[in-house]
Coordinates of all heavy atoms in Angstrom, one line a residue:
M1 N 68.4 89.4 136.4 CA 68.4 88.1 136.3 C 67.8 87.6 137.9 O 68.4 88.0 138.7 CB 69.8 87.4 136.0 CG 69.9 86.0 136.1 SD 68.7 85.0 135.2 CE 69.2 85.4 133.5
R2 N 67.1 86.6 137.8 CA 66.6 86.2 139.1 C 67.6 85.0 139.6 O 68.1 84.4 138.7 CB 65.2 85.5 138.9 CG 64.1 86.4 138.6 CD 62.7 85.9 138.5 NE 62.8 84.9 137.4 CZ 62.2 83.6 137.5 NH1 61.7 83.3 138.6 NH2 62.3 82.8 136.7
I3 N 67.7 85.0 140.8 CA 68.7 83.9 141.4 C 67.9 83.1 142.5 O 67.2 83.8 143.4 CB 69.8 84.7 142.1 CG1 70.8 85.5 141.0 CG2 70.8 83.8 142.8 CD1 71.8 86.3 141.5
R4 N 68.2 81.9 142.5 CA 67.5 80.9 143.5 C 68.5 80.0 144.0 O 69.5 79.8 143.4 CB 66.4 80.3 142.9 CG 65.2 81.2 142.4 CD 64.2 80.6 141.5 NE 63.3 79.9 142.6 CZ 62.3 79.2 142.2 NH1 62.0 79.0 141.0 NH2 61.5 78.5 143.1
F5 N 68.2 79.4 145.2 CA 69.2 78.5 145.7 C 68.6 77.8 146.9 O 67.5 78.2 147.2 CB 70.5 79.2 146.3 CG 70.2 80.4 147.2 CD1 69.8 80.2 148.4 CD2 70.0 81.8 146.7 CE1 69.5 81.3 149.3 CE2 69.7 82.8 147.5 CZ 69.4 82.6 148.8
D6 N 69.1 76.8 147.4 CA 68.7 76.0 148.5 C 69.1 76.7 149.8 O 70.3 76.9 150.2 CB 69.3 74.6 148.5 CG 68.9 73.6 149.7 OD1 68.4 74.2 150.7 OD2 69.2 72.5 149.5
P7 N 68.2 77.3 150.6 CA 68.6 77.9 151.9 C 69.4 77.1 152.9 O 70.3 77.6 153.6 CB 67.3 78.5 152.5 CG 66.3 78.3 151.4 CD 66.9 77.3 150.4
A8 N 69.1 75.8 152.9 CA 69.8 75.0 153.9 C 71.3 74.8 153.5 O 72.2 74.9 154.3 CB 69.1 73.6 154.1
K9 N 71.5 74.7 152.2 CA 72.9 74.6 151.7 C 73.7 75.9 151.8 O 74.8 75.9 152.3 CB 72.9 74.3 150.2 CG 74.4 73.9 149.7 CD 74.2 73.3 148.3 CE 75.8 73.0 148.0 NZ 75.8 72.3 146.6
S10 N 72.9 76.9 151.8 CA 73.5 78.2 152.0 C 74.0 78.4 153.4 O 75.1 79.0 153.7 CB 72.4 79.4 151.7 OG 73.0 80.7 152.0
E11 N 73.2 78.0 154.3 CA 73.7 78.1 155.7 C 74.9 77.2 155.9 O 75.7 77.6 156.7 CB 72.4 77.6 156.6 CG 72.7 77.9 158.1 CD 72.9 79.4 158.5 OE1 72.4 80.2 157.8 OE2 73.6 79.6 159.5
L12 N 74.9 76.1 155.4 CA 76.0 75.2 155.6 C 77.4 75.8 155.1 O 78.3 75.8 155.7 CB 75.9 73.8 154.9 CG 74.8 72.9 155.4 CD1 74.6 71.6 154.6 CD2 75.4 72.3 156.9
L13 N 77.2 76.4 153.8 CA 78.4 77.1 153.3 C 78.8 78.3 154.1 O 79.9 78.5 154.4 CB 78.0 77.8 152.0 CG 77.7 76.7 150.8 CD1 77.2 77.3 149.6 CD2 79.1 76.0 150.4
R14 N 77.8 79.1 154.7 CA 78.2 80.1 155.5 C 79.0 79.7 156.8 O 79.8 80.5 157.3 CB 76.9 80.9 156.0 CG 77.2 82.2 156.9 CD 75.8 82.9 157.2 NE 75.2 83.5 156.0 CZ 74.2 83.1 155.4 NH1 73.6 81.9 155.8 NH2 73.7 83.6 154.3
K15 N 78.6 78.5 157.4 CA 79.2 78.0 158.5 C 80.6 77.4 158.3 O 81.5 77.2 159.3 CB 78.4 77.1 159.2 CG 77.1 77.6 159.8 CD 76.1 76.6 160.5 CE 75.0 77.3 161.1 NZ 74.1 76.2 161.6
N16 N 80.9 77.1 157.0 CA 82.2 76.5 156.6 C 83.3 77.5 156.6 O 83.2 78.5 155.8 CB 82.1 75.9 155.3 CG 83.3 75.1 154.9 OD1 84.4 75.5 155.1 ND2 83.1 74.1 154.1
P17 N 84.3 77.5 157.3 CA 85.3 78.6 157.4 C 86.0 78.8 156.0 O 86.5 79.9 155.8 CB 86.3 78.2 158.5 CG 85.8 76.9 159.0 CD 84.6 76.5 158.3
K18 N 86.1 77.7 155.2 CA 86.7 77.8 154.0 C 85.9 78.5 152.9 O 86.3 79.0 151.9 CB 87.1 76.5 153.4 CG 88.2 75.8 154.1 CD 88.6 74.4 153.5 CE 89.6 73.8 154.4 NZ 90.1 72.5 153.8
R19 N 84.6 78.7 153.2 CA 83.6 79.4 152.3 C 83.3 80.8 152.8 O 83.5 81.8 152.1 CB 82.3 78.6 152.2 CG 82.5 77.1 151.8 CD 83.2 76.9 150.4 NE 83.4 75.4 150.4 CZ 83.2 74.7 149.4 NH1 82.5 75.3 148.4 NH2 83.4 73.5 149.4
G20 N 82.8 80.9 154.1 CA 82.7 82.2 154.7 C 81.5 82.9 154.5 O 81.1 84.0 155.1
I21 N 80.7 82.7 153.5 CA 79.6 83.3 153.1 C 78.4 82.3 152.5 O 78.9 81.2 152.1 CB 79.7 84.5 152.1 CG1 80.2 83.9 150.7 CG2 80.7 85.5 152.5 CD1 80.1 84.8 149.5
G22 N 77.2 82.8 152.6 CA 76.2 81.9 152.0 C 75.8 82.5 150.6 O 76.4 83.5 150.2
F23 N 74.8 81.8 150.0 CA 74.3 82.3 148.8 C 73.7 83.7 148.8 O 73.7 84.5 147.8 CB 73.3 81.3 148.2 CG 73.9 80.0 147.7 CD1 73.3 78.8 148.0 CD2 75.1 80.0 146.9 CE1 73.7 77.6 147.7 CE2 75.5 78.8 146.7 CZ 75.1 77.5 146.9
E24 N 73.1 84.2 149.9 CA 72.4 85.4 150.2 C 73.5 86.4 149.8 O 73.3 87.4 149.0 CB 71.9 85.6 151.4 CG 70.7 84.8 151.8 CD 71.1 83.2 152.2 OE1 72.3 83.0 152.3 OE2 70.1 82.5 152.7
E25 N 74.7 86.4 150.4 CA 75.7 87.3 150.2 C 76.4 87.2 148.7 O 76.7 88.2 148.2 CB 76.9 87.2 151.1 CG 76.4 87.4 152.6 CD 75.9 86.2 153.3 OE1 75.8 85.1 152.7 OE2 75.7 86.2 154.5
A26 N 76.5 85.9 148.3 CA 77.1 85.6 147.0 C 76.4 86.3 145.8 O 77.1 86.6 144.8 CB 77.3 84.2 146.8
Q27 N 75.1 86.6 146.1 CA 74.4 87.3 144.9 C 75.0 88.4 144.4 O 74.8 88.9 143.3 CB 73.0 87.4 145.3 CG 72.2 86.1 145.6 CD 70.8 86.5 146.0 OE1 69.9 87.0 145.1 NE2 70.4 86.2 147.2
A28 N 75.7 89.1 145.3 CA 76.3 90.5 145.0 C 77.3 90.4 143.9 O 77.6 91.3 143.3 CB 76.9 91.1 146.3
L29 N 78.0 89.2 143.8 CA 78.9 88.9 142.8 C 78.3 89.3 141.3 O 79.1 89.9 140.6 CB 79.3 87.4 142.6 CG 80.3 86.9 141.8 CD1 81.1 85.8 142.4 CD2 79.8 86.5 140.5
F30 N 77.0 89.0 141.1 CA 76.4 89.3 139.9 C 76.1 90.8 139.5 O 75.8 91.1 138.6 CB 75.2 88.4 139.6 CG 75.5 86.9 139.5 CD1 75.3 86.1 140.7 CD2 76.0 86.4 138.5 CE1 75.7 84.7 140.7 CE2 76.4 85.0 138.5 CZ 76.2 84.2 139.6
D31 N 76.2 91.6 140.7 CA 75.9 93.0 140.5 C 77.1 93.9 139.9 O 76.9 94.9 139.5 CB 75.5 93.5 142.0 CG 74.3 93.1 142.4 OD1 73.5 92.6 141.6 OD2 74.1 93.0 143.6
G32 N 78.4 93.2 140.0 CA 79.5 94.0 139.6 C 80.1 93.2 138.3 O 79.4 92.4 137.7
N33 N 81.4 93.4 138.0 CA 82.1 92.8 137.0 C 82.4 91.4 137.4 O 82.8 91.3 138.5 CB 83.3 93.6 136.5 CG 82.9 94.8 135.9 OD1 82.0 95.0 135.4 ND2 83.8 95.9 136.2
Y34 N 82.2 90.5 136.5 CA 82.6 89.1 137.0 C 83.1 88.3 135.7 O 82.6 88.6 134.6 CB 81.5 88.4 137.7 CG 80.2 88.1 137.0 CD1 80.0 87.0 136.1 CD2 79.1 89.1 137.1 CE1 78.8 86.9 135.5 CE2 77.9 88.9 136.3 CZ 77.9 87.9 135.5 OH 76.6 87.7 134.8
Y35 N 84.0 87.4 135.9 CA 84.3 86.5 134.8 C 83.6 85.3 134.9 O 83.3 84.6 135.9 CB 85.9 86.2 135.1 CG 86.4 85.2 134.1 CD1 86.7 85.6 132.8 CD2 86.7 83.8 134.5 CE1 87.3 84.5 132.0 CE2 87.1 82.9 133.5 CZ 87.4 83.4 132.4 OH 87.9 82.4 131.4
E36 N 83.2 84.8 133.7 CA 82.3 83.7 133.6 C 83.0 82.6 132.6 O 83.5 83.0 131.6 CB 80.9 84.2 133.0 CG 79.9 83.2 132.8 CD 78.6 83.8 132.4 OE1 78.6 84.4 131.3 OE2 77.7 83.8 133.2
A37 N 82.9 81.5 133.0 CA 83.4 80.4 132.2 C 82.6 79.1 132.3 O 82.0 78.8 133.3 CB 84.8 80.0 132.6
L38 N 82.4 78.4 131.0 CA 81.7 77.1 131.2 C 82.4 76.1 132.0 O 83.6 75.9 131.8 CB 81.4 76.6 129.8 CG 80.5 75.4 129.5 CD1 79.1 75.7 130.0 CD2 80.5 75.1 128.2
R39 N 81.8 75.5 132.9 CA 82.5 74.5 133.7 C 82.2 73.1 133.3 O 82.9 72.2 133.3 CB 82.0 74.7 135.2 CG 82.6 73.6 136.2 CD 82.1 74.0 137.5 NE 82.9 73.0 138.4 CZ 82.4 72.4 139.3 NH1 81.0 72.4 139.6 NH2 83.1 71.7 140.3
R40 N 80.9 72.9 132.9 CA 80.5 71.6 132.4 C 79.4 71.8 131.4 O 78.4 72.4 131.5 CB 80.0 70.8 133.5 CG 79.7 69.4 133.2 CD 79.2 68.5 134.4 NE 77.9 68.9 134.6 CZ 77.2 68.4 135.7 NH1 77.8 67.6 136.6 NH2 75.9 68.8 135.9
D41 N 79.7 71.2 130.3 CA 78.7 71.3 129.1 C 77.8 70.2 129.0 O 76.9 70.2 128.1 CB 79.4 71.6 127.8 CG 80.4 70.5 127.3 OD1 80.5 69.5 128.0 OD2 81.0 70.7 126.2
E42 N 78.0 69.2 129.9 CA 76.9 68.2 129.7 C 75.8 68.5 130.7 O 76.0 69.2 131.6 CB 77.5 66.7 130.4 CG 79.0 66.6 130.0 CD 79.7 65.7 130.9 OE1 79.2 65.3 132.1 OE2 80.7 65.2 130.4
P43 N 74.6 67.9 130.3 CA 73.3 68.5 131.1 C 73.6 67.9 132.5 O 74.0 66.8 132.8 CB 72.2 67.7 130.4 CG 72.7 67.5 129.1 CD 74.3 67.2 129.1
P44 N 73.2 68.7 133.6 CA 72.9 70.1 133.3 C 74.2 71.0 133.2 O 75.1 70.8 133.9 CB 72.3 70.4 134.7 CG 72.8 69.6 135.7 CD 73.2 68.2 134.9
E45 N 74.1 71.9 132.2 CA 75.2 72.7 131.9 C 75.5 73.7 133.2 O 74.5 74.2 133.7 CB 74.8 73.6 130.8 CG 75.9 74.5 130.1 CD 75.6 75.0 129.0 OE1 74.8 76.2 129.0 OE2 75.9 74.5 127.8
Q46 N 76.7 73.7 133.5 CA 77.1 74.6 134.7 C 78.2 75.7 134.4 O 79.0 75.4 133.5 CB 77.6 73.7 135.9 CG 76.6 72.8 136.4 CD 77.1 72.0 137.7 OE1 78.4 71.8 137.9 NE2 76.2 71.7 138.6
W47 N 78.0 76.8 134.9 CA 78.9 77.9 134.8 C 79.6 78.2 136.0 O 79.0 78.1 137.1 CB 78.1 79.1 134.1 CG 77.6 78.9 132.8 CD1 76.3 78.3 132.6 CD2 78.0 79.2 131.6 NE1 76.1 78.2 131.2 CE2 77.1 78.8 130.6 CE3 79.2 79.8 131.2 CZ2 77.4 78.9 129.3 CZ3 79.4 80.0 129.8 CH2 78.6 79.7 128.9
R48 N 80.8 78.8 135.8 CA 81.5 79.4 137.1 C 81.7 80.8 136.8 O 82.1 81.3 135.8 CB 83.0 78.8 137.1 CG 83.7 79.3 138.3 CD 85.1 78.6 138.4 NE 85.7 78.4 137.2 CZ 86.6 79.3 136.6 NH1 86.9 80.5 137.1 NH2 87.2 78.9 135.5
A49 N 81.2 81.7 137.8 CA 81.4 83.1 137.8 C 82.3 83.4 138.8 O 82.2 82.9 140.0 CB 80.0 83.7 138.0
T50 N 83.2 84.3 138.6 CA 84.3 84.7 139.5 C 84.2 86.3 139.6 O 84.2 86.9 138.7 CB 85.7 84.2 139.2 OG1 85.7 82.9 139.0 CG2 86.7 84.7 140.2
G51 N 84.0 86.7 140.9 CA 83.9 88.2 141.1 C 83.9 88.6 142.6 O 84.1 87.7 143.3
W52 N 83.8 89.8 142.8 CA 84.1 90.4 144.2 C 82.7 90.2 145.1 O 81.6 90.7 144.5 CB 84.6 91.8 144.2 CG 85.9 91.7 143.6 CD1 86.2 92.1 142.4 CD2 87.1 91.5 144.3 NE1 87.6 91.9 142.2 CE2 88.3 91.6 143.4 CE3 87.4 91.2 145.6 CZ2 89.5 91.5 143.8 CZ3 88.7 91.1 146.0 CH2 89.7 91.2 145.0
V53 N 82.8 89.9 146.3 CA 81.9 90.0 147.2 C 82.5 90.5 148.5 O 83.3 90.0 148.9 CB 81.2 88.6 147.6 CG1 80.1 88.7 148.6 CG2 80.6 87.8 146.4
N54 N 82.1 91.8 148.8 CA 82.7 92.5 149.8 C 84.1 92.8 149.5 O 84.4 93.1 148.3 CB 82.5 92.0 151.1 CG 81.0 91.9 151.5 OD1 80.3 92.8 151.2 ND2 80.6 90.8 152.3
A55 N 85.1 92.4 150.3 CA 86.5 92.5 149.9 C 87.2 91.2 149.4 O 88.3 91.2 149.4 CB 87.3 93.1 151.1
N56 N 86.5 90.1 149.1 CA 87.0 89.0 148.7 C 86.5 88.4 147.3 O 85.5 88.7 147.0 CB 86.7 87.8 149.7 CG 87.3 88.0 151.0 OD1 88.5 88.1 151.1 ND2 86.4 88.1 152.2
L57 N 87.4 87.8 146.6 CA 87.1 87.3 145.2 C 86.5 85.9 145.6 O 87.2 85.0 146.1 CB 88.3 87.3 144.4 CG 88.2 87.2 142.9 CD1 87.2 88.3 142.3 CD2 89.4 87.1 142.2
Y58 N 85.4 85.6 145.0 CA 84.7 84.3 145.0 C 84.4 83.7 143.7 O 84.2 84.5 142.7 CB 83.5 84.4 145.8 CG 83.6 84.6 147.3 CD1 83.7 85.7 148.0 CD2 83.6 83.3 148.1 CE1 83.8 85.8 149.3 CE2 83.7 83.4 149.5 CZ 83.9 84.6 150.1 OH 84.0 84.7 151.4
S59 N 84.3 82.4 143.7 CA 83.7 81.8 142.5 C 82.5 81.1 142.9 O 82.4 80.4 144.1 CB 84.8 80.7 142.1 OG 85.9 81.2 141.4
V60 N 81.5 81.2 142.0 CA 80.1 80.5 142.2 C 79.9 79.6 141.1 O 80.1 80.1 139.9 CB 79.1 81.7 142.4 CG1 77.7 81.1 142.5 CG2 79.4 82.6 143.5
I61 N 79.4 78.4 141.4 CA 79.0 77.5 140.3 C 77.4 77.6 140.3 O 76.7 77.6 141.2 CB 79.3 76.1 140.6 CG1 80.7 75.9 140.7 CG2 78.6 75.1 139.5 CD1 81.6 76.3 139.5
Y62 N 76.8 77.8 138.9 CA 75.5 77.9 138.7 C 75.0 77.3 137.5 O 75.7 77.1 136.6 CB 75.1 79.4 138.9 CG 75.4 80.3 137.7 CD1 74.6 80.4 136.5 CD2 76.8 80.8 137.7 CE1 75.1 81.1 135.4 CE2 77.1 81.6 136.5 CZ 76.3 81.7 135.4 OH 76.7 82.4 134.3
E63 N 73.6 77.1 137.6 CA 73.0 76.5 136.3 C 72.0 77.5 136.0 O 71.3 78.3 136.8 CB 72.4 75.2 136.6 CG 73.2 74.2 137.0 CD 72.6 72.9 137.7 OE1 71.4 72.9 137.7 OE2 73.3 71.9 138.0
V64 N 71.7 77.7 134.5 CA 70.7 78.5 134.1 C 69.4 77.5 134.0 O 69.5 76.6 133.2 CB 71.0 79.2 132.7 CG1 69.8 80.0 132.3 CG2 72.2 80.0 132.9
R65 N 68.4 77.8 134.7 CA 67.2 77.0 134.8 C 66.0 77.9 134.2 O 66.2 79.1 134.2 CB 66.9 76.5 136.1 CG 68.0 75.4 136.5 CD 67.5 74.9 137.9 NE 68.5 73.9 138.4 CZ 68.5 73.2 139.4 NH1 67.4 73.4 140.2 NH2 69.4 72.3 139.7
E66 N 64.9 77.3 134.1 CA 63.7 78.0 133.6 C 62.4 77.6 134.4 O 62.3 76.4 134.6 CB 63.6 77.8 132.1 CG 62.6 78.7 131.5 CD 62.6 78.7 130.0 OE1 63.8 78.4 129.3 OE2 61.7 79.0 129.3
D67 N 61.6 78.5 134.6 CA 60.2 78.3 135.2 C 59.3 79.0 134.4 O 59.5 79.5 133.4 CB 60.3 78.5 136.8 CG 60.6 79.9 137.1 OD1 60.4 80.8 136.2 OD2 60.7 80.2 138.3
D68 N 58.0 79.2 135.0 CA 57.0 79.7 134.3 C 57.3 81.3 134.1 O 56.6 81.9 133.4 CB 55.6 79.6 135.1 CG 55.1 78.2 135.0 OD1 55.5 77.5 134.2 OD2 54.4 77.9 135.9
H69 N 58.2 81.9 134.8 CA 58.5 83.3 134.7 C 59.7 83.5 133.9 O 60.1 84.7 133.8 CB 58.6 83.8 136.1 CG 57.5 83.6 137.0 ND1 56.3 84.3 136.9 CD2 57.2 82.9 138.1 CE1 55.3 83.9 137.7 NE2 55.9 83.0 138.4
G70 N 60.4 82.5 133.4 CA 61.6 82.8 132.6 C 62.8 82.0 133.2 O 62.7 81.2 134.1
E71 N 63.9 82.6 132.8 CA 65.2 81.9 133.2 C 65.6 82.6 134.6 O 65.1 83.7 134.9 CB 66.2 82.3 132.3 CG 66.2 81.4 130.9 CD 67.4 81.8 130.1 OE1 68.1 82.8 130.2 OE2 67.6 80.8 129.1
Y72 N 66.3 81.7 135.3 CA 67.0 82.2 136.6 C 68.2 81.4 136.8 O 68.5 80.4 136.2 CB 66.1 82.0 137.7 CG 65.6 80.4 138.0 CD1 66.3 79.8 138.9 CD2 64.5 79.9 137.4 CE1 66.0 78.5 139.2 CE2 64.1 78.7 137.7 CZ 64.9 77.9 138.6 OH 64.6 76.6 138.8
Y73 N 69.1 81.9 137.6 CA 70.3 81.3 138.0 C 70.0 80.4 139.2 O 69.7 80.9 140.2 CB 71.5 82.3 138.3 CG 72.1 83.0 137.2 CD1 73.0 84.0 137.2 CD2 71.6 82.7 135.8 CE1 73.5 84.6 136.3 CE2 72.2 83.4 134.8 CZ 73.2 84.3 135.0 OH 73.7 85.1 133.9
W74 N 70.4 79.2 139.2 CA 70.3 78.2 140.3 C 71.7 78.1 140.8 O 72.6 77.6 140.2 CB 69.7 76.9 140.0 CG 69.7 75.9 141.1 CD1 70.6 75.0 141.5 CD2 68.8 76.0 142.3 NE1 70.3 74.3 142.6 CE2 69.2 74.9 143.1 CE3 67.7 76.8 142.6 CZ2 68.5 74.6 144.3 CZ3 67.1 76.5 143.7 CH2 67.4 75.5 144.6
L75 N 72.0 78.6 142.1 CA 73.3 78.6 142.6 C 73.6 77.3 143.2 O 72.8 76.7 144.0 CB 73.6 79.7 143.7 CG 73.2 81.0 143.3 CD1 73.6 82.1 144.3 CD2 74.0 81.5 142.0
V76 N 74.7 76.6 142.8 CA 75.1 75.2 143.2 C 76.0 75.1 144.5 O 75.9 74.4 145.4 CB 75.6 74.5 142.0 CG1 76.0 73.1 142.5 CG2 74.7 74.4 140.8
T77 N 77.2 75.9 144.3 CA 78.1 76.0 145.3 C 78.9 77.3 145.2 O 78.8 77.9 144.1 CB 79.0 74.7 145.4 OG1 79.8 74.8 146.7 CG2 79.9 74.6 144.2
L78 N 79.9 77.5 146.1 CA 80.7 78.7 146.0 C 82.0 78.4 146.9 O 82.1 77.5 147.7 CB 80.2 79.9 146.5 CG 79.5 80.0 148.0 CD1 80.7 80.5 148.9 CD2 78.4 80.9 148.1
W79 N 83.0 79.2 146.6 CA 84.3 79.1 147.3 C 85.1 80.3 147.1 O 84.8 81.1 146.2 CB 85.1 77.9 147.0 CG 85.5 77.8 145.6 CD1 86.6 78.5 145.0 CD2 84.9 77.2 144.5 NE1 86.6 78.1 143.6 CE2 85.5 77.4 143.3 CE3 83.6 76.4 144.4 CZ2 85.2 76.9 142.1 CZ3 83.3 75.9 143.2 CH2 83.9 76.1 142.1
K80 N 85.9 80.7 148.0 CA 86.9 81.8 147.8 C 87.8 81.4 146.6 O 88.3 80.2 146.4 CB 87.8 81.9 148.9 CG 87.1 82.5 150.2 CD 88.0 82.9 151.3 CE 87.1 83.5 152.5 NZ 87.8 83.5 153.7
A81 N 88.0 82.3 145.7 CA 88.7 82.0 144.3 C 90.0 81.5 144.5 O 90.7 82.0 145.4 CB 88.7 83.3 143.5
T82 N 90.5 80.6 143.7 CA 91.9 80.0 143.8 C 92.6 81.0 143.1 O 92.3 82.0 142.5 CB 92.0 78.6 143.0 OG1 91.6 79.0 141.7 CG2 90.9 77.6 143.6
E83 N 94.0 80.8 143.2 CA 95.0 81.7 142.5 C 94.7 81.8 141.0 O 95.0 82.7 140.4 CB 96.4 81.2 142.9 CG 97.5 82.3 142.5 CD 97.3 83.7 143.0 OE1 97.0 83.7 144.3 OE2 97.6 84.6 142.3
D84 N 94.6 80.5 140.5 CA 94.3 80.3 139.0 C 93.1 81.3 138.7 O 93.0 82.0 137.6 CB 94.1 78.9 138.6 CG 95.5 78.3 138.5 OD1 96.5 78.9 138.5 OD2 95.4 76.9 138.5
E85 N 91.9 81.0 139.4 CA 90.7 81.9 139.2 C 91.0 83.4 139.3 O 90.4 84.1 138.5 CB 89.7 81.4 140.1 CG 89.2 80.0 139.7 CD 88.4 79.4 140.9 OE1 88.4 79.9 142.0 OE2 87.7 78.4 140.5
R86 N 91.8 83.8 140.3 CA 92.2 85.1 140.4 C 92.9 85.7 139.2 O 92.6 86.8 138.7 CB 93.0 85.3 141.7 CG 93.4 86.8 141.9 CD 94.2 86.8 143.2 NE 93.4 86.5 144.4 CZ 92.5 87.4 144.9 NH1 92.5 88.7 144.6 NH2 92.0 87.0 146.1
K87 N 93.8 85.0 138.6 CA 94.6 85.3 137.3 C 93.6 85.3 136.3 O 93.7 86.4 135.5 CB 95.6 84.3 137.1 CG 96.8 84.4 138.2 CD 97.8 83.4 137.8 CE 98.9 83.4 138.9 NZ 99.9 82.4 138.8
E88 N 92.7 84.4 136.0 CA 91.7 84.6 135.0 C 90.8 85.8 135.2 O 90.6 86.4 134.0 CB 90.7 83.3 135.0 CG 91.4 82.0 134.6 CD 90.3 80.8 134.8 OE1 89.6 80.9 135.6 OE2 90.6 79.8 134.1
Y89 N 90.4 86.1 136.3 CA 89.6 87.3 136.6 C 90.3 88.6 136.1 O 89.8 89.4 135.4 CB 89.2 87.3 138.0 CG 88.4 88.6 138.3 CD1 87.0 88.7 138.1 CD2 88.9 89.7 138.9 CE1 86.3 89.8 138.4 CE2 88.3 90.8 139.1 CZ 86.8 90.9 138.9 OH 86.2 92.0 139.2
E90 N 91.6 88.7 136.6 CA 92.4 89.7 136.3 C 92.8 89.9 134.8 O 92.8 91.0 134.3 CB 93.8 89.7 137.1 CG 93.5 89.9 138.6 CD 94.8 89.7 139.5 OE1 95.8 89.2 138.8 OE2 94.8 89.9 140.8
N91 N 93.0 88.8 134.1 CA 93.2 88.9 132.7 C 92.1 89.2 131.8 O 92.2 89.9 130.8 CB 93.8 87.5 132.2 CG 95.2 87.1 132.7 OD1 95.9 88.1 133.0 ND2 95.6 85.9 132.8
A92 N 90.8 89.0 132.4 CA 89.7 89.2 131.7 C 89.2 90.7 132.0 O 88.4 91.2 131.1 CB 88.5 88.2 132.1
S93 N 89.7 91.2 133.1 CA 89.3 92.6 133.4 C 89.9 93.7 132.7 O 91.0 93.6 132.1 CB 89.5 92.9 134.8 OG 88.7 92.0 135.7

């Protein structure tokens, strides 16, 4: 799956101590096991994926978009997983 994002927003996320990483690092979440849930079903439909990036569990919000080359994930935002998200991930694993 191709992944795209706003580089300026990625830099803002990286500088935010509550986030700690940018979208560049967060892409690794999709390389391993992750828990996926529909976050919003109104257009644009958004999904939340929770998985490991380095030694931390993160949640990423993304939209599935399409261009001339097919579908790709557009990363919207990210954060360190909450306790509830951690439990969802563990129950799904």
Side-chain angles (χ1 to χ4, degrees):
M1 177 56 64
R2 294 179 303 132
I3 297 175
R4 300 175 77 183
F5 52 85
D6 178 348
K9 186 169 185 178
S10 179
E11 188 61 26
L12 289 173
L13 291 167
R14 184 178 292 104
K15 290 179 180 178
N16 182 329
K18 292 184 180 180
R19 312 297 172 129
I21 64 171
F23 290 134
E24 292 85 355
E25 298 88 354
Q27 292 179 71
L29 182 147
F30 296 101
D31 294 337
N33 293 330
Y34 60 92
Y35 172 77
E36 186 175 61
L38 184 62
R39 179 177 189 225
R40 184 176 78 186
D41 60 359
E42 319 161 344
E45 190 175 81
Q46 290 185 337
W47 294 85
R48 176 178 44 91
T50 303
W52 293 97
V53 179
N54 299 325
N56 293 301
L57 197 62
Y58 280 89
S59 288
V60 174
I61 300 300
Y62 69 92
E63 299 170 358
V64 178
R65 295 184 179 181
E66 193 168 330
D67 63 14
D68 293 339
H69 303 287
E71 289 187 344
Y72 64 90
Y73 288 179
W74 177 259
L75 304 186
V76 176
T77 192
L78 64 87
W79 59 84
K80 290 182 181 173
T82 66
E83 189 60 34
D84 286 343
E85 291 165 340
R86 180 176 294 277
K87 288 177 186 173
E88 285 176 339
Y89 177 84
E90 290 170 356
N91 289 337
S93 296

